[in-house]
Amino acid sequence: MPKGKFIALEGVDGSGISTQVGLLKKWFLGRGERVFATKEPTDGPIGALIRQALTRRVVRPDGSPLDDTTLALLFAADRVDHLRCQIVPKLEHGVHVISDRYYLSSFAYQSLGDDLEWIKIINSRARRPDLFILLVVPPITSQERMSRDRWQVDLYEELPKMEVILRNYLAVARRLKEEGENVRIIDGARPLEEVQGEIRTLVEGVLKVLD
Ligand code: TYD
């Protein structure tokens, strides 16, 4: 039985990853293919802990937030657990897997607080996806989208941080490309259908490659 393909979508917060994952899943189903859409942080125990840490419901004994190094390790642990419990078994059974975020997120976000080489080491047990798609949306646009869809984030405080994360994403995506990973960078600021059209073309290319 041919194995499933593993596709990960990436981008700064509000870049439309989850919407595009949903549309891509529909497209796979329309083709009569088996597909599993998933996300990181996961809905599993380590993902739940991460979400509680991010919302400061889990803190240190003195009430301060968990430090960046601890969080980086939690994201990496969640990923390995995700692979073992969900992603790999699905791929082995011929089911395609689309993930809303994967290790490129750790490279772009956690390198704000720790050095990238170490982040790469703690993620080195995470297998390469068949395709990474980075949706590039200017942070001002993604912030505007988020303030429409969700409760208001602190727009001006978050914006410079998002600019840095986007720069990290672009730098690391280019580097991984040079190292032979299949990373595609696309303009995510265009209309939804147009972005989805390009994603589908890229995915079709991957589906043609036989293992
Ligand atoms: P997000 O996709 O926004 O989750 P939700 O839609 O459930 O709120 O992810 C939560 C945050 O975690 C987001 O800001 C990106 C960040 N993140 C990292 O910093 N490192 C990682 O490895 C991952 C997967 C996410």
Side-chain angles (χ1 to χ4, degrees), residues 13 39-41 51 54 75 79 100-102 105-106 109-110 150:
D13 296 79
K39 64 171 294 184
E40 292 185 2
R51 236 174 267 111
L54 293 178
F75 278 117
R79 187 158 295 128
D100 175 335
R101 302 190 178 280
Y102 193 49
S105 282
S106 280
Y109 284 78
Q110 273 62 62
R150 309 177 192 182

Side-chain angles (χ1 to χ4, degrees), residues 9 16-28 98 133 135 186-188 190-203:
L9 267 67
I17 310 172
S18 52
T19 308
Q20 295 297 343
V21 167
L23 292 171
L24 188 59
K25 179 179 175 180
K26 265 194 193 156
W27 177 75
F28 269 111
I98 319 165
I133 300 174
L135 304 177
I186 72 172
D187 174 6
R190 294 167 296 161
L192 219 99
E193 300 73 25
E194 222 176 294
V195 177
Q196 180 63 202
E198 191 172 356
I199 291 174
R200 290 176 181 178
T201 306
L202 293 172
V203 171

Side-chain angles (χ1 to χ4, degrees), residues 75-192:
F75 278 117
D78 186 38
R79 187 158 295 128
V80 171
D81 184 58
H82 193 197
L83 280 161
R84 302 253 160 94
C85 297
Q86 295 187 290
I87 299 174
V88 174
K90 299 277 184 204
L91 295 173
E92 295 293 322
H93 283 91
V95 179
H96 302 298
V97 175
I98 319 165
S99 187
D100 175 335
R101 302 190 178 280
Y102 193 49
Y103 58 71
L104 213 58
S105 282
S106 280
F107 295 0
Y109 284 78
Q110 273 62 62
S111 62
L112 290 177
D114 234 303
D115 74 288
L116 178 61
E117 289 319 307
W118 181 73
I119 305 290
K120 286 178 101 171
I121 290 168
I122 62 171
N123 280 282
S124 57
R125 294 282 161 86
R127 68 189 275 165
R128 283 185 178 190
D130 294 288
L131 174 65
F132 259 126
I133 300 174
L134 171 59
L135 304 177
V136 177
V137 176
I140 186 72
T141 310
S142 56
Q143 292 279 20
E144 278 165 13
R145 284 184 185 172
M146 278 196 294
S147 56
R148 257 186 273 137
D149 297 346
R150 309 177 192 182
W151 60 86
Q152 183 75 24
V153 282
D154 196 341
L155 217 78
Y156 299 104
E157 198 185 307
E158 288 292 318
L159 207 52
K161 188 174 153 196
M162 287 298 152
E163 303 274 5
V164 179
I165 292 168
L166 180 58
R167 276 206 299 279
N168 289 349
Y169 256 130
L170 289 167
V172 91
R174 289 183 188 123
R175 211 170 113 188
L176 292 191
K177 255 175 139 170
E178 283 164 18
E179 291 169 10
E181 294 206 37
N182 191 11
V183 186
R184 308 301 291 256
I185 302 168
I186 72 172
D187 174 6
R190 294 167 296 161
L192 219 99

